[in-house]
Structure formats: C-alpha cells, structure tokens
Amino acid sequence: QGMVVRVGERRFGLPYIHVHRVMSVEKSQRKKIEGREVVEVHGDPLAIVSLAQVLGVEGCPTAAKALRTPAVVLRNGSRRMVLEVDEIVGAVEMLIKPLCRSFADHQLILGAAVGADSEILPVIDVPNVFSEATRSAGGGRSMARGRPAVASASAAAAAATGDAGEASAAAVRRVLLVDDSITMRSMERDILTSAGFEVEVAEDAERGLELLRSSADFDLIVTDLQMPGLNGIEFTSTLRGESWPDTPVVMVTTVDDQETRMSAMSAGVDRYLVKRDFTRASFVEVVEEMIGPAEGGAA
C-alpha cells in the first residue's frame, strides 16, 4: 500500500509503512530553530523538507507564495519529518520493482511501481531521504546528489519495469534475527534464507548488539519481545540510541495487547507481528515491504 504525491508535473510513490499522517502547513506555523525550518506537530518541532528540493525537480512555481502547502509526516523508526509536496494525490496499491543495474546507485529512489492507468511511479526511499536531509542540514547545498533527479528518477522508473532479470541486480539484503527460542529462530531463519535473504542469528539481545557492533551493515533487524536480559523493547531503544537510528526493526511476539504494542512502537519498532497470525507468506511480505526483495527474489 502506498500514497501518491505530486511535485510539479511528476508523481511519486511513498510506502505507507513510512506515512504517519497528512497535513497542511500554513505560513504562520513555520518557525526557525538552529537555522532549520520546522513546524510543530502535536507539540513536537519537526523539520520541514521539500520533496522538490530533495530530488532536485522543479516544483509548482506558485508554491512559495501559497498560504498553505500539502505535506506528509514521514516516520522512520522513532524519527519523523514533514515532507512538503505540491499535491496529495491519493492511495494506490504498488507492486514495487527494484531498479536495474544502470540505476541501482540512485540513492533516493527505492524502485518503481505501476500506478493507476499504468502510470510508472518512482517510489521514494524514505530512510535515505532522512539520511540525506540530516547530512544536508546547515550545509548550504542542494539535497539532491549524483545525476539530476528530474531525468534519472524517470529513467530509473522506466528501467525498473523492464527486463526482470536485469531488475534483480540489487545487492543481497542482510537480516539480523534475535530470538531466544531456538524453534522460532530456526523457522524464521529458514523462511528468510529460502526467500533469498542473508541471515545472522543471535540467541539474545546482548549477542545481537555484539553482532551489530562488529558488522553494522544489516538492512533489517527481527527481534522477539520476551527474552532474558534485555527484552525486545529495551533492545530496540538501545539500537535507536546508538548507531542504528534508521535500521528497520520488526518485532515478532506472542504478546497481543495495545499497551505493549504502543510501547514497542514508541521505542522505535517499525512493525509489530503477533505470532498467532504468523505465516511464511505474511512474514516474507512484511520483510520485503520494509527493505525490498532479496537478490534474485520476486519483485
């Protein structure tokens, strides 16, 4: 599931997993804090980022004069930002295909999807938008990197819908699996490796932290909730406070109550899965929603 937004004459997809809410930003709501433009959302000052500026595309020429502009509050783990666009178009079901080899280095485009009326939608890589906005803060430079995004985003989208063999050239996705149950750990590992992911396992949170600190290049972390030592919520809080503020975290647990779920999400968990609803297909689907398919996996 995704949201379609428009910037200038171009439309882009945003995965719903990163969409917190939509809003309008009025001129009177804008403030400056440490040189960054922010707006308060439920009492929290969130940075305002223009999607046109991020991608280096031409936005609506009258947007700067408008009294209010449409925006999407994006979330990535425990972080949030306000992304300004020219229009919130609506919802769409997106089958995201990874970029072909020629465009695999495009940092801000996750892939491409076929939208309504067979329209090709470049899909925004939200975690990389957060990283790019952070790097660009106070730097006085355009937030678009590499080739001009006007041309490359469209070309990347078109290429992503081409030959399926070419589209599967992305690097292997690495997953860290943390669970004290050897049965659950083995089952999840077998499911993910069968789907083409590279998996490292840890029997508790302390071992998981050791693996992360020695090899930080994991694309996704899957954790149990109830474990000896640090539980899954404490483990996630530790991650977010160290060097992994943006790495997606999926929690798989038997606990199904709203209070625990909210505590987990507040700590930085991105998806909360209850084991009684757990199936091979749904698990792989969630992982692919978070980080895309493994190398050679189905788009």
Side-chain angles (χ1 to χ4, degrees), residues 5-289:
V5 297
R6 180 180 61 81
V7 176
E9 299 300 319
R10 302 178 182 274
R11 298 187 182 197
F12 298 89
L14 293 169
Y16 258 146
I17 185 66
H18 294 293
V19 175
H20 181 62
R21 57 171 292 190
V22 297
M23 62 180 295
S24 294
V25 179
E26 299 185 10
K27 278 194 172 183
S28 60
Q29 295 175 307
R30 299 170 183 268
K31 302 177 182 178
K32 282 287 186 76
I33 296 180
E34 297 181 354
R36 293 297 305 272
E37 195 168 44
V38 303
V39 61
E40 284 196 6
V41 179
H42 297 310
D44 295 325
L46 303 184
I48 303 174
V49 175
S50 163
L51 183 57
Q53 183 183 358
V54 168
L55 295 178
V57 302
E58 184 176 348
C60 177
T62 61
K65 300 178 181 179
L67 295 178
R68 62 175 62 187
T69 55
V72 182
V73 180
L74 296 179
R75 62 184 175 193
N76 185 41
S78 59
R79 303 171 66 194
R80 290 183 298 163
M81 71 162 56
V82 177
L83 188 72
E84 285 190 301
V85 297
D86 290 337
E87 181 187 4
I88 307 292
V89 179
V92 66
E93 288 191 359
M94 303 189 301
L95 177 63
I96 302 175
K97 301 186 71 173
L99 302 181
C100 71
R101 186 178 293 109
S102 302
F103 294 93
D105 62 343
H106 199 297
Q107 299 297 308
L108 300 179
I109 303 297
L110 176 66
V114 180
D117 301 323
S118 299
E119 178 186 21
I120 305 303
L121 291 171
V123 179
I124 303 299
D125 190 324
V126 174
N128 277 345
V129 170
F130 273 83
S131 299
E132 184 68 14
T134 300
R135 280 193 296 268
S136 303
R141 64 177 177 85
S142 170
M143 285 194 271
R145 295 185 295 142
R147 70 193 78 173
V150 171
S152 62
S154 298
T161 60
D163 181 69
E166 182 74 6
S168 61
V172 174
R173 305 289 192 176
R174 299 189 68 218
V175 178
L176 174 62
L177 179 58
V178 184
D179 198 311
D180 66 314
S181 166
I182 188 170
T183 302
M184 197 67 186
R185 194 167 66 232
S186 299
M187 181 180 70
E188 292 174 341
R189 180 189 59 197
D190 290 347
I191 291 172
L192 293 177
T193 54
S194 296
F197 295 94
E198 183 178 311
V199 181
E200 289 275 355
V201 297
E203 66 277 7
D204 55 35
E206 285 78 7
R207 177 57 180 159
L209 288 171
E210 288 178 11
L211 289 171
L212 281 163
R213 289 162 181 161
S214 62
S215 177
D217 57 340
F218 288 101
D219 299 290
L220 177 75
I221 300 167
V222 179
T223 182
D224 190 13
L225 171 61
Q226 297 170 314
M227 298 183 289
L230 292 177
N231 64 35
I233 293 176
E234 294 166 336
F235 172 56
T236 303
S237 294
T238 302
L239 297 178
R240 298 311 188 206
E242 292 193 18
S243 301
W244 305 278
D246 302 325
T247 305
V249 175
V250 176
M251 180 169 285
V252 183
T253 177
T254 58
V255 180
D256 184 18
D257 68 77
Q258 191 63 19
E259 183 178 353
T260 303
R261 184 186 295 266
M262 294 303 296
S263 295
M265 303 300 278
S266 296
V269 170
D270 296 286
R271 291 295 293 270
Y272 189 96
L273 305 181
V274 180
K275 287 182 181 178
R276 73 160 182 266
D277 301 324
F278 184 97
T279 66
R280 175 183 294 267
S282 65
F283 185 44
V284 173
E285 181 180 357
V286 166
V287 171
E288 290 185 344
E289 283 179 7

